[in-house]
Amino acid sequence: MSLLENVLKELPVYLGKFTRMLTQPSRLVHDHLNADDPNALLEQSIAFLLLSFTIALVLAVVFPEMTNPVQLVSDEAGMAAHALAAIRVLFELLGLSALAYLAAKVAGVQSGFQRFFGLMCAACGVMLVIQVFAAALTNISLADPVTAKAWIQLEKGMATLKPLIEQGVLCATDGSTGEVRPNAALGAQLQTQLTSLQATYLQATDRPLFKLAAGLQLLAGLILLIWSGRLWLMYLNGHALSTGKLILATVLLVVFTGAGSLVYELVNAGRTMMDVYRHCG
C-alpha cells in the first residue's frame, strides 16, 4: 500500500515531466547536451527512470498484459512475475541505449557517455511506461465474452499441451545427435491438441474488440518508434554531424541492436532449453 501511496503522491509532478518529454523531445535533447551541470541532470533523469519503473510496475499489476497462451512460458505469478518482466524491459532499454551510444561514438559523436546516459535514462522512463501501457490495452479485448471464454480455454489447453510438447518433442531429443526421436502416440495426441487450440485461437482473435485492442497496441508502438527515432536524430544533429555520418550512425545502430538482440534471444533460448531438460524424465 505504501508503494501505491508514494506513486500517487509523486504522480502530478511526474505527469508534467512525462508530458513535456513526450511532446517536446527537442527540448529534452537540448537540456542534456547543454547542461552546465550534467551530474545534477543525470541524477534527475535516474530519479525519473526509477519512478517510471515503479509506475510501470503498478500498471503491470493492475492491468496485466493478455499474453498469448499458445507459447511455452515459465510458471510465475503475482508481483514477482510482473517485477521480473518490468526489470527485463528496463534492462533491454538500457542495453539498447548502450548500443546506441556505441553507434553514435563510432560515427563521430564527441560528447561523453554521461550526457548520453542521462538523456537515455529520461527516454527509457518514457518508453517503459508507454510499453507497459500498450501491453495493458490488450485487456480491452477481454470485454468481449466470446474472446474471454476462448482465452480461458486456451490457457487450460496450454496447461495440457505444454507437457506434451516437452515430452513428445523437446525431451525426445537425442543427446548425442540432437535429433528428435519420434513418438507416434504422443505425436498424434499433440496434433489433436494443436488443431483444437488453433481453432479456439482463431475464434478469439477474429472478434472486433480483439482487433481494436491489437490496433491500439500497434498505434502505441508506432508512436513510441517515431518518438524515439526523432530523439535519435535530434541527438545526432546536436553534434553537427554530416548527413553521411548521420546515416552511418543509424546503420550502425540497426546492426548493433540486431546483433545484440540475436545474442539476447540465444541466451534466453539456451536458458529455456536448460529449464526444460532439467524436467525431462
Side-chain angles (χ1 to χ4, degrees):
M1 191 64 182
S2 59
L3 176 62
L4 183 59
E5 290 176 353
N6 290 334
V7 170
L8 292 176
K9 183 175 65 176
E10 298 290 339
L11 195 57
V13 176
Y14 173 85
L15 288 177
K17 292 182 179 179
F18 181 88
T19 303
R20 285 195 300 273
M21 291 179 183
L22 186 61
T23 58
Q24 301 176 24
S26 58
R27 178 180 174 182
L28 176 63
V29 174
H30 179 271
D31 289 345
H32 282 272
L33 291 182
N34 298 280
D36 295 330
D37 187 359
N39 287 329
L41 197 55
L42 175 60
E43 292 177 1
Q44 294 175 17
S45 296
I46 293 176
F48 177 82
L49 176 59
L50 293 176
L51 184 55
S52 296
F53 174 81
T54 305
I55 291 174
L57 179 58
V58 172
L59 282 175
V61 172
V62 177
F63 302 107
E65 179 182 9
M66 188 188 74
T67 55
N68 187 349
V70 191
Q71 290 179 349
L72 282 177
V73 295
S74 58
D75 294 327
E76 297 178 359
M79 177 71 80
H82 295 302
L84 289 174
I87 290 173
R88 185 178 64 182
V89 173
L90 176 60
F91 276 97
E92 287 173 357
L93 292 174
L94 292 176
L96 176 63
S97 69
L99 293 174
Y101 177 74
L102 178 61
K105 198 68 176 177
V106 172
V109 168
Q110 298 299 320
S111 63
F113 182 70
Q114 187 181 37
R115 293 180 184 275
F116 181 84
F117 187 67
L119 174 62
M120 284 299 100
C121 282
C124 285
V126 174
M127 291 189 286
L128 182 63
V129 171
I130 291 180
Q131 280 191 326
V132 174
F133 175 74
L137 291 175
T138 57
N139 288 280
I140 292 175
S141 60
L142 297 180
D144 183 347
V146 174
T147 299
K149 290 183 178 181
W151 219 255
I152 293 173
Q153 292 177 12
L154 286 171
E155 291 174 347
K156 293 179 179 179
M158 189 56 207
T160 305
L161 182 66
K162 182 177 178 180
L164 289 178
I165 294 177
E166 291 178 349
Q167 296 298 325
V169 180
L170 300 178
C171 292
T173 304
D174 191 309
S176 59
T177 64
E179 297 180 355
V180 177
R181 297 185 299 270
N183 185 316
L186 283 177
Q189 188 178 359
L190 179 61
Q191 183 60 47
T192 301
Q193 283 286 92
L194 285 173
T195 302
S196 176
L197 288 176
Q198 183 182 30
T200 305
Y201 180 77
L202 292 175
Q203 178 189 22
T205 57
D206 196 37
R207 304 290 294 181
L209 282 181
F210 186 95
K211 295 178 179 179
L212 173 62
L216 291 174
Q217 188 178 24
L218 179 62
L219 177 62
L222 182 61
I223 291 173
L224 181 60
L225 179 63
I226 294 173
W227 183 82
S228 58
R230 288 186 61 196
L231 202 69
W232 171 250
L233 293 177
M234 290 173 183
Y235 173 77
L236 296 178
N237 287 329
H239 293 83
L241 295 183
S242 64
T243 302
K245 289 186 176 181
L246 191 149
I247 295 175
L248 174 62
T250 304
V251 170
L252 289 175
L253 174 64
V254 174
V255 172
F256 291 164
T257 54
S261 298
L262 177 60
V263 173
Y264 180 74
E265 291 301 326
L266 288 174
V267 170
N268 284 333
R271 184 187 62 186
T272 300
M273 292 302 292
M274 286 297 295
D275 290 341
V276 171
Y277 288 145
R278 286 191 181 99
H279 293 86
C280 290

